[in-house]
Amino acid sequence: MKISHIDHIGIAVKSLEKASEFYTRFLGCKPAGKETVPDQKATVSFFLFKDTTVELLEATELEGPIAKFIASKGEGIHHIAFRVENIEDTIAELKAKGVRLIDEQPRTGARGIKIAFVHPKETSGVLMELCQHFTKE
Ligand code: ZN
């Protein structure tokens, strides 16, 4: 298993507009993109930093994971994503070690990357995302 770095930090927000303003107005960052990810029932905005990205997630549906997260825990860090070289191999290796996964097959996340979530029971309550990009950034 090869983990290169923390790829991004996903933050669940009630309002993308309001949360983005902190990064643009106060930190002077430029948004690197915005897209709706139907699979996650969320709209996502990105802010790129040197080796990592902040991913702001706003729910598009009340039944989605972001809406449920905010309803139970409030706004805040939703997940931490680790970039891996090969997600299929990583999933297979973790399964072989008996690690509980939410996704036993990779799915497509924002920016077209392959992602899979590890069960938070395995990671001290932190939702961990594994992700594989197709280009080196
Ligand atoms: Zn993510």
Side-chain angles (χ1 to χ4, degrees):
M1 180 181 327
K2 241 185 167 176
I3 296 174
S4 60
H5 61 281
I6 292 179
D7 182 82
H8 63 268
I9 298 168
I11 302 173
V13 302
K14 287 180 183 164
S15 161
L16 263 189
E17 197 184 327
K18 186 170 176 279
S20 295
E21 191 186 359
F22 174 80
Y23 291 90
T24 55
R25 192 167 153 210
F26 300 121
L27 300 187
C29 301
K30 285 199 175 92
K34 184 177 174 178
E35 68 180 276
T36 297
V37 186
D39 190 44
Q40 292 183 42
K41 297 181 173 57
T43 300
V44 184
S45 275
F46 309 98
F47 291 90
L48 305 181
F49 296 91
K50 186 167 180 267
D51 289 320
T52 196
T53 298
V54 167
E55 183 179 278
L56 302 177
L57 305 117
E58 180 191 271
T60 54
E61 289 176 41
L62 285 174
E63 291 309 304
I66 300 303
K68 285 181 182 168
F69 179 89
I70 289 175
S72 71
K73 296 184 177 167
E75 293 182 298
I77 292 179
H78 176 261
H79 65 272
I80 297 179
F82 291 82
R83 189 175 314 187
V84 299
E85 210 160 73
N86 183 310
I87 199 162
E88 282 88 359
D89 289 355
T90 305
I91 289 171
E93 195 178 328
L94 291 173
K95 270 168 74 174
K97 289 175 179 170
V99 174
R100 279 171 68 190
L101 299 161
I102 292 174
D103 301 304
E104 299 206 340
Q105 297 291 329
R107 50 182 159 142
T108 306
R111 296 178 286 166
I113 62 177
K114 280 193 204 174
I115 65 165
F117 288 103
V118 178
H119 201 284
K121 287 235 159 77
E122 300 283 7
T123 56
S124 310
V126 175
L127 180 59
M128 181 188 287
E129 179 185 309
L130 305 166
C131 67
Q132 178 189 347
H133 287 244
F134 300 99
T135 52
K136 301 244 180 234
E137 282 173 15

